[in-house]
């Protein structure tokens, strides 16, 4: 109870800043009589967004689905790579440069190719999301495993622990704080990645919705979709704290 | 012949040498420990005390020398030793009870049996009622007792304690020394204790070995001929002061004379 209140109080400065920004924006649009195709007022974004809520919702669902599937794939790939690298120095040397190289790929240029290769279905979008998000997850885990105290490893070895037991009893739980940090970075990229992938080509989703509305000069609806995207990202971000509390309550900081 | 020598000893350390790359750390360490004996090791910091434990505990291979337990070669083996590292290393993701059962779990003891065995020791270790607590809720002294419990419950032949009370404040440290002196009598542990506190070494040990500066070897042995059980009043007795002065003199000699002068 007091925790929730305290958290609200800590958010107050951010909320004040947002409200001031919205007020200035609203005032500017009214005062300058700028056309809504160029810059709609925040109130207009809200009212039009609400009027089109059914359509936005219908497009938000596929985006959520793509994000979930893409991020699940990314998690699986990130974990598999991190665990493999942790157990095998050879794989570490083999995979580390490839991991880094994967992050230099210009996704903007590759995304259209993915659509040529995989079509307009789930697959190209899942690949884009995985490409964008598996890296922070894999690196966060690898570093988390690697941060294990040498003395802790020695303690386990003195107990007769195999490499697997060391992993299970110390390296894995010890990596949880960095994993959840990486998870938070990854999940915010995941939603943006999904929007981007849809933008390039999709039959439904917030990305394609934004693209269509932009083409018909409905700037207000584009911004309404942006707002919904932000809400989804923030909710998923918040969800990671809940998961952390359930899975590894001891790893919360501060 | 070593077998003969080993027979009356729990532990024999024979000519242990160890270098890390170009840095020689152990320069032929020799000593032995009788069953149930409590031996303290003191020496300048950085001389190689923890390295000696790592080699004895089978965590680092020696460049030369042997470790015998009950007369049999145990070089490189971990199973005769229960090792308590310098830091308590209680894991925040386990309750205090589950921290103390870690060694048993790793050894394959079923969780329920492991908890029962460790649980019995919570009372004598002054931890009763804290089984389900998290390590972060314990005081410094309790954390060290929990770490020691995790060490002894493994029921290994020899306990290796690396500066177990080094991080505690002076008053808590004295409490812990008195407690350890009281509790060890009932268990018959064979103990090797590293400490930088000479008073602690004399108070707890049957014998104090003084190690020279790096590369280290045993420079001097002081037999502590004080009766047991020992209590605080022991510290003020003339014989205690004599022994303390002897050990202190030997540690100082090593430091002042540099790395030469073998005795
Ligand atoms: N794994 C290692 N690799 C290289 N050098 C080490 C290693 N472990 C210890 N040393 C070095 O060996 C020396 C003795 O260290 P240590 O045994 O920890 O000393 P003490 O416990 O007596 O303070 C130090 O100079 C330390 O830097
Ligand atoms: Mg040390």
């Amino acid at each position: 109870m007091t925790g929730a209140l305290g958290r609200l109080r800590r958010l107050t400065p951010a909320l004040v800043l947002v409200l001031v920004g919205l007020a200035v924006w609203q005032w500017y649009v009214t005062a300058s009589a700028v056309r809504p195709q160029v810059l709609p007022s925040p109130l207009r974004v809200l009212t039009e967004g609400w009027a089109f809520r059914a359509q936005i919702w219908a497009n938000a669902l596929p985006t959520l689905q793509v994000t979930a599937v893409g991020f699940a794939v990314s998690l699986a790939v990130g974990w598999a790579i991190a665990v493999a690298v942790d157990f095998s120095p050879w794989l570490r040397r083999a995979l580390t440069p490839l991991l880094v190289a994967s992050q230099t790929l210009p996704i903007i240029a590759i995304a259209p190719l993915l659509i040529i290769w995989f079509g307009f279905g789930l697959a190209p979008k899942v690949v884009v999301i995985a490409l964008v998000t598996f890296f922070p997850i894999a690196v966060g885990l690898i570093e988390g495993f690697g941060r294990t105290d040498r003395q802790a490893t020695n303690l386990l070895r003195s107990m007769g622990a195999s490499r697997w037991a060391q992993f299970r009893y110390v390296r894995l739980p010890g990596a949880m704080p960095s994993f959840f940090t990486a998870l938070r970075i990854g999940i915010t990229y995941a939603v943006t990645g999904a929007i981007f992938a849809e933008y390039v080509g999709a039959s439904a989703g917030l990305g394609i919705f934004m693209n269509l509305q932009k083409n018909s000069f409905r700037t207000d609806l584009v911004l309404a979709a942006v707002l919904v995207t932000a809400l989804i990202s923030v909710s998923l971000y918040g969800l990671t704290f809940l998961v952390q509390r359930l899975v590894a309550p001891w790893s919360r900081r501060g | 012949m070593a077998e003969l020598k080993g027979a009356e000893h729990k532990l024999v350390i024979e000519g242990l040498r160890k270098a890390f790359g170009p840095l020689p750390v152990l320069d032929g360490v020799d000593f032995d420990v009788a069953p149930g004996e409590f031996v303290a090791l003191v020496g300048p910091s950085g001389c190689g005390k923890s390295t000696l434990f790592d080699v004895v505990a089978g965590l680092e291979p020696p460049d030369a020398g042997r470790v015998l337990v009950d007369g049999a070669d145990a070089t490189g083996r971990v199973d005769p030793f229960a090792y308590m590292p310098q830091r308590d290393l209680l894991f925040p993701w386990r309750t205090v009870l589950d921290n103390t059962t870690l060694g048993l779990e790793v050894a394959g003891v079923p969780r329920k049996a492991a908890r029962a065995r460790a649980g019995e020791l919570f009372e004598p270790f002054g931890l009763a009622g804290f089984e389900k607590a998290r390590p972060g809720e314990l005081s410094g002294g309790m954390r060290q007792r929990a770490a020691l419990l995790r060490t002894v419950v493994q029921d290994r032949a020899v306990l290796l304690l690396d500066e177990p009370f080094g991080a505690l404040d002076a008053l808590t440290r004295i409490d812990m020394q008195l407690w350890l002196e009281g509790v060890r009598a009932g268990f018959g542990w064979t103990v090797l204790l590293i400490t930088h506190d000479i008073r602690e070494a004399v108070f707890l040990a049957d014998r104090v070995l003084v190690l020279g500066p790096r590369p280290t070897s045993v420079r001097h042995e002081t037999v502590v001929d004080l009766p047991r059980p020992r209590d605080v009043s022991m510290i003020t007795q003339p014989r205690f002061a004599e022994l303390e002065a002897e050990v202190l003199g030997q540690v100082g000699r090593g430091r002042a004379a540099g790395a030469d002068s073998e005795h």
Side-chain angles (χ1 to χ4, degrees):
Chain A
M1 226 36 224
T2 55
L5 266 180
R7 219 164 297 147
L8 262 183
R9 200 158 301 151
R10 251 180 299 143
L11 280 177
T12 310
L15 288 175
V16 168
L17 203 63
V18 168
L19 286 177
V20 169
L22 288 175
V24 170
W25 177 1
Q26 181 74 35
W27 168 82
Y28 173 78
V29 169
T30 321
S32 69
V34 60
R35 286 186 306 139
Q37 287 88 331
V38 177
L39 183 67
S41 76
L43 277 180
R44 186 186 165 102
V45 170
L46 284 181
T47 48
E48 287 304 301
W50 183 250
F52 280 77
R53 62 185 179 277
Q55 215 182 323
I56 292 178
W57 180 241
N59 282 289
L61 278 182
T63 302
L64 265 176
Q65 191 205 359
V66 161
T67 305
V69 176
F71 200 54
V73 169
S74 169
L75 277 173
V77 172
W79 271 91
I81 290 176
V83 173
V85 160
D86 192 57
F87 273 88
S88 158
W90 188 88
L91 278 179
R92 177 185 294 269
R93 282 194 300 276
L95 285 177
T96 308
L98 295 184
L99 285 182
V100 176
S102 78
Q103 292 313 289
T104 64
L105 295 179
I107 304 273
I108 288 212
I110 288 184
L113 295 181
L114 291 173
I115 288 175
I116 295 175
W117 295 333
F118 298 111
F120 283 81
L122 211 53
K125 285 167 242 151
V126 166
V127 172
V128 167
I129 295 172
L131 264 179
V132 183
T133 61
F134 89 96
F135 185 72
I137 290 167
V139 169
L141 275 172
I142 291 170
E143 283 182 358
F145 296 147
R147 204 171 292 143
T148 306
D149 197 284
R150 223 179 66 89
Q151 284 201 50
T153 304
N154 275 348
L155 175 68
L156 266 286
R157 285 177 57 212
S158 81
M159 292 168 169
S162 62
R163 185 61 176 72
W164 162 247
Q166 292 168 34
F167 181 79
R168 171 180 164 202
Y169 288 113
V170 181
R171 300 180 80 80
L172 178 63
M176 283 304 112
S178 19
F179 169 65
F180 278 101
T181 304
L183 187 73
R184 282 191 259 287
I185 296 169
I187 197 84
T188 42
Y189 286 169
V191 182
T192 328
I195 301 286
F196 170 74
E198 290 169 351
Y199 218 92
V200 176
S203 43
L206 286 174
I208 200 76
F209 177 82
M210 287 180 205
N211 205 0
L212 291 173
Q213 299 308 325
K214 181 201 73 178
N215 290 342
S216 44
F217 300 103
R218 288 304 303 268
T219 313
D220 48 357
L221 289 181
V222 174
L223 287 176
V226 167
L227 179 66
V228 171
T229 310
L231 287 178
I232 291 175
S233 286
V234 170
S235 310
L236 290 176
Y237 187 82
L239 197 62
T240 63
F241 288 96
L242 196 70
V243 173
Q244 183 169 15
R245 178 169 292 197
L246 290 175
V247 174
W250 50 266
S251 68
R252 281 169 296 155
R253 289 167 216 217
Chain B
M1 28 179 267
E3 313 303 315
L4 271 179
K5 188 185 176 197
E8 74 260 29
H9 295 297
K10 193 76 192 166
L11 173 69
V12 177
I13 306 295
E14 262 183 15
L16 280 187
R17 290 178 178 278
K18 177 76 186 172
F20 291 110
L23 182 78
V25 177
L26 303 183
D27 188 27
V29 177
D30 290 283
F31 63 90
D32 39 47
V33 182
E37 195 183 17
F38 195 123
V39 173
L41 297 164
V42 298
S45 87
C47 75
K49 302 181 295 294
S50 297
T51 303
L52 174 64
F53 268 20
D54 286 348
V55 172
V56 171
L59 302 172
E60 288 278 358
D63 298 335
R66 295 206 298 168
V67 176
L68 305 178
V69 174
D70 291 324
D73 194 340
T75 316
R77 273 176 50 197
V78 297
D79 53 292
F81 304 98
Y83 175 61
M84 178 170 170
Q86 229 158 325
R87 292 188 8 246
D88 61 52
L89 292 172
L90 298 171
F91 298 123
W93 51 85
R94 300 191 140 227
T95 62
V96 175
L97 180 60
D98 287 345
N99 264 286
T100 61
T101 60
L102 186 59
L104 298 175
E105 266 184 63
V106 167
V109 177
R111 185 165 260 205
K112 195 155 166 260
R115 282 182 174 162
R117 249 166 83 183
E120 276 173 22
L121 292 175
F122 268 62
E123 187 74 49
F125 276 65
L127 293 166
F130 286 87
E131 289 83 351
K132 292 203 171 74
R134 295 278 160 175
E137 299 167 45
L138 301 186
S139 69
M142 294 173 91
R143 291 179 70 99
Q144 291 309 119
R145 287 201 295 269
L148 185 61
L149 201 165
R150 175 184 64 197
T151 314
V152 304
V153 78
Q154 298 174 64
D155 214 12
R156 303 278 177 88
V158 179
L159 301 181
L160 304 174
L161 314 180
D162 192 348
E163 298 194 19
F165 311 140
L168 301 176
D169 65 84
L171 289 178
T172 312
R173 195 185 311 166
I174 290 170
D175 278 347
M176 292 290 292
Q177 291 158 359
L178 292 170
W179 167 80
L180 183 59
E181 165 63 12
V183 78
R184 59 151 244 137
F187 288 93
W189 299 319
T190 303
V191 185
L192 266 181
L193 169 88
I194 291 175
T195 177
H196 55 239
D197 179 344
I198 291 170
R199 178 164 296 180
E200 173 174 294
V202 173
F203 181 73
L204 288 172
D206 299 307
R207 233 170 354 126
V208 180
L209 303 179
V210 178
L211 298 173
R214 192 186 68 224
T216 200
S217 58
V218 178
R219 280 291 157 92
H220 179 81
E221 171 186 299
T222 294
V223 175
V224 182
D225 49 3
L226 295 168
R228 291 194 189 265
R230 301 171 186 166
D231 58 22
V232 214
S233 67
M234 185 74 72
I235 296 174
T236 55
Q237 287 179 13
R239 182 61 188 143
F240 190 96
E242 261 175 53
L243 290 165
E244 210 182 331
E246 179 185 327
V247 175
L248 186 60
Q250 290 300 329
V251 173
R253 182 181 73 98
R255 201 165 282 164
D260 43 68
S261 68
E262 206 86 22
H263 69 263

